[in-house]
Every structure is written in structure tokens, then in C-alpha cells.
């Protein structure tokens, strides 16, 4: 091979390899490694677009109730299984009409393009989780915000409203106490 061609090609090959690596890292940084859901950054960018384009969008904030007790009683592997199964149930419920994410810890977020059937979500989330031959109860508090009910369509305001609704749902049986799933 000609030395001049090689001298020109090597920087281009290096640049292409570096670009591919950075693209891969960016893509994986936008996905939660445990659940496969979008991270806050990956979800937020898409959710803002949905709010701008879909007046009937609904923002949901979800939190597993008494998650620390699940981890302490059954181990962190059981907690991880509960997180993964909750993520799958949420993603299945959203389907192709919504976007799901994990904000961190035991907190999830979703946005649906149209007013969804929240009862079906509640039914799916309250199913026990199978782990090590046992059926572990799962309780999830859910808060929602219908974007059309907001004076100004803003993701941060929708999340704040959904957060308040989620804590109201969580407060039905006390913030820290265990309780069966209720709506």
C-alpha cells in the first residue's frame, strides 16, 4: 500500500472508530442497564416532543411502595426482579403509544399520547412478582397529569402535578407503611 494513502487513511479510520464508540456510549447512557427503559435524559427529550404534539397526552409518575422493605426482607436480587418486572409491565401497557423511563431507584415515568386506561395499568402492576419459588406482593403508587388540563403545556409542570398525585395515592395508607395496592 502506498505510504501517502496510508497516512491519509489512518486518521479517517481512527475518527470513524472513535465516532462509533461515542455513538454507542451515548445510546447506552440513555438506557437504564437494569430495566432497559430510557433514563431521565433519554425520556425527557422524547416526552417534551410528545407534549408539544399531543394535546391529549398523559404523564405518569410511579413509585414502588415499601421497596426498602422488599430489599431488606428478600434481598437486593428480589428488588431487582421487582424493578425489571414493573418496567416490563409498564412498557407493555404503554406499548407503541407511549414512552417509558426509569428515573432512578424505584421511580418510573411514562407518557402516553392519548388518555390511557389507567385501570388496566393498575391491574397489571398489582400482580405479585415470582421470585425464588415465592410470590412477592408488589404495591405501586401512580400519579397522573392530563396535559390538556394544564394552563401551559410544560413537562416540568406535568411531572410536578403527577408527583403530587402519586404522593396522594401513596398517602392513602400512610407514606411508609405497607399496604395492598389500591387505586
Amino acid at each position: 500500500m502506498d505510504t501517502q494513502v496510508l497516512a491519509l487513511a489512518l486518521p479517517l479510520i481512527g475518527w470513524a472508530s472513535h465516532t462509533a464508540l461515542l455513538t454507542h456510549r451515548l445510546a447506552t447512557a440513555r438506557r437504564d442497564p437494569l430495566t432497559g427503559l430510557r433514563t431521565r435524559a433519554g425520556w425527557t427529550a422524547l416526552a417534551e416532543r410528545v407534549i408539544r404534539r399531543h394535546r391529549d397526552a398523559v404523564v405518569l409518575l410511579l413509585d414502588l411502595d415499601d421497596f426498602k422493605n422488599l430489599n431488606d426482607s428478600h434481598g437486593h436480587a428480589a428488588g431487582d426482579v421487582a424493578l425489571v418486572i414493573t418496567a416490563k409491565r409498564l412498557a407493555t401497557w404503554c406499548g407503541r403509544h407511549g414512552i417509558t423511563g426509569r428515573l432512578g431507584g424505584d421511580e418510573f415515568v411514562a407518557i402516553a399520547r392519548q388518555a390511557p386506561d389507567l385501570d388496566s395499568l393498575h391491574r397489571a402492576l398489582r400482580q405479585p412478582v415470582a421470585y425464588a419459588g415465592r410470590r412477592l406482593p408488589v404495591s405501586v403508587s401512580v400519579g397522573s397529569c392530563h396535559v390538556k388540563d394544564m394552563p401551559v403545556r410544560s413537562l416540568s409542570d406535568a411531572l410536578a402535578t403527577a408527583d403530587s398525585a402519586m404522593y396522594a395515592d401513596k398517602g392513602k395508607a400512610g407514606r411508609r407503611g405497607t399496604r395492598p395496592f389500591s387505586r
Side-chain angles (χ1 to χ4, degrees):
M1 180 175 249
D2 186 10
T3 314
Q4 289 178 339
V5 172
L6 186 59
L8 290 172
L10 279 178
L12 292 175
I13 292 169
W15 178 80
S17 297
H18 184 70
T19 300
L21 177 66
L22 289 177
T23 301
H24 174 72
R25 284 188 179 170
L26 179 62
T28 57
R30 292 182 181 261
R31 292 282 179 177
D32 174 58
L34 179 65
T35 64
L37 296 182
R38 287 174 175 81
T39 60
R40 180 184 302 265
W43 182 83
T44 298
L46 295 171
E48 286 175 343
R49 191 173 332 148
V50 170
I51 284 180
R52 281 192 308 271
R53 294 181 180 174
H54 300 276
R55 185 184 185 302
D56 292 331
V58 177
V59 174
L60 303 168
L61 202 55
L62 302 87
D63 186 76
L64 273 70
D65 298 323
D66 209 22
F67 185 68
K68 182 181 180 333
N69 187 41
L70 175 71
N71 274 336
D72 292 347
S73 301
H74 301 283
H76 290 281
D80 286 351
V81 168
L83 292 170
V84 169
I85 290 175
T86 298
K88 286 181 183 175
R89 290 173 179 171
L90 180 60
T92 298
W93 177 81
C94 271
R96 56 192 174 97
H97 301 292
I99 302 164
T100 57
R102 180 176 177 210
L103 296 182
D106 61 344
E107 195 169 57
F108 297 89
V109 67
I111 187 165
R113 290 178 186 92
Q114 300 172 357
D117 175 15
L118 291 176
D119 289 333
S120 66
L121 175 62
H122 286 280
R123 282 191 299 278
L125 293 175
R126 74 174 162 221
Q127 299 301 313
V129 170
Y131 176 74
R134 299 183 66 193
R135 293 174 56 83
L136 305 176
V138 176
S139 175
V140 181
S141 295
V142 180
S144 64
C145 174
H146 294 261
V147 174
K148 68 180 178 186
D149 296 336
M150 300 176 62
V152 176
R153 288 194 274 177
S154 141
L155 180 59
S156 60
D157 290 347
L159 284 170
T161 300
D163 188 55
S164 294
M166 181 193 66
Y167 278 107
D169 187 42
K170 191 175 282 288
K172 286 181 181 175
R175 175 121 155 71
R176 297 249 182 238
T178 56
R179 64 178 173 85
F181 184 89
S182 65
R183 184 152 189 264

